Amino acid sequence: MDVRSLAGKTALITGAGGGIGRATALACAKRGARLALCDLNADDLAETEQLLRALGGERHVLAQRVDVANAEQMRAFAEAVHREAPAVDLLVNNAGVGLGGGFLDTSLEDWRWIVDINLLGVVHGCNFFVPAMVARGAGGHVVNVASAAGHLPSELLSAYTTSPMRGVAAQPGARERMIAGYQRRNYGPERVAENILRAVQRGRVVAPITLEVWAAYYAKRAAPWLVRALGRWQARVGIPELA
């Protein structure tokens, strides 16, 4: 999909209230896209809207508070979007949460919470928007945003991790240190957003961002034993700070 200009195209982004979702919305807006945005936090979503309008010009933005884990809310959101456009051109399933801690630290309630958002949230996005994209027959692209943990699993990250941290990984300030580490290395949300659009432009099926994720991506295929060993090592020493 050619995303050098998104004029006349509609980009839908979940989890657009902050982080990668907000940065992706801004990147798409700068390329002229119409935007359909959702987030569970209405205040964060309103802030994203303000930033988009501050870019200047007439920007078409449909923003709605939505829990991606809730099928009926996603259905209603899809109906609202499709009243304004027959189909979206770019679907970015970005909304997600994380959970640090080993299997024994993770309750059934934790599993239901994270699976409903991180797995079914993506399923709902695809279920309610992809059929219209296919029926229109004019192409499009789907982006499913994931963590490096998808390539480099660890016993400490049984239920996937980004935020919040619980169990063994619930060290004070752990999330803040992780974020600061990526920022020091210039891997903030804006850079990720640009890489997302670059991957769409190039038609990449999988698009790791940082050097360590590229290494994990290839190691998982060339030396799976090494990936397992790294996971066991991380479980022993904890989640290291990024240099």
Side-chain angles (χ1 to χ4, degrees):
M1 176 180 170
D2 189 351
V3 295
R4 288 172 294 183
S5 170
L6 290 172
K9 296 188 181 339
T10 300
L12 187 149
I13 302 155
T14 69
I20 294 171
R22 175 181 289 175
T24 303
L26 289 167
C28 289
K30 290 173 182 176
R31 300 185 186 205
R34 296 188 300 259
L35 295 168
L37 311 176
C38 71
D39 198 280
L40 184 61
N41 189 309
D43 291 337
D44 289 347
L45 190 59
E47 187 174 335
T48 297
E49 282 190 88
Q50 291 177 353
L51 291 171
L52 288 166
R53 300 191 192 286
L55 292 176
E58 294 295 324
R59 301 198 179 277
H60 182 87
V61 181
L62 169 65
Q64 190 168 311
R65 182 190 178 279
V66 176
D67 180 356
V68 296
N70 187 305
E72 290 310 310
Q73 289 187 26
M74 284 293 281
R75 185 193 308 277
F77 181 48
E79 290 172 353
V81 171
H82 291 147
R83 280 195 293 268
E84 301 199 18
V88 303
D89 299 280
L90 177 62
L91 168 63
V92 183
N93 288 309
N94 165 74
V97 294
L99 193 67
F103 184 83
L104 297 180
D105 301 302
T106 308
S107 69
L108 284 177
E109 289 73 21
D110 288 335
W111 279 105
R112 292 189 185 100
W113 173 70
I114 199 169
V115 169
D116 281 352
I117 297 170
N118 289 0
L119 176 59
L120 289 181
V122 173
V123 172
H124 293 156
C126 293
N127 180 76
F128 292 116
F129 292 100
V130 171
M133 297 168 74
V134 174
R136 184 185 56 177
H141 202 102
V142 177
V143 175
N144 296 324
V145 178
S147 165
H151 296 298
L152 193 62
S154 166
E155 294 175 18
L156 268 183
L157 309 175
S158 294
Y160 206 59
T161 185
T162 301
S163 166
M165 298 294 185
R166 301 187 190 177
V168 176
Q171 303 164 3
R175 180 174 183 268
E176 289 72 19
R177 289 195 297 272
M178 258 191 244
I179 292 172
Y182 280 115
Q183 289 174 336
R184 286 195 299 271
R185 297 166 61 229
N186 193 30
Y187 280 110
E190 295 77 16
R191 186 168 178 182
V192 176
E194 289 301 323
N195 275 275
I196 287 173
L197 293 180
R198 185 178 300 116
V200 173
Q201 182 69 36
R202 297 176 179 177
R204 292 190 59 87
V205 176
V206 179
I209 304 297
T210 65
L211 181 61
E212 61 266 27
V213 182
W214 275 107
Y217 175 69
Y218 286 113
K220 186 177 179 181
R221 286 152 179 75
W225 60 269
L226 177 60
V227 173
R228 290 194 295 271
L230 286 172
R232 289 192 295 270
W233 170 79
Q234 188 182 61
R236 289 196 303 271
V237 303
I239 300 175
E241 293 184 40
L242 294 169

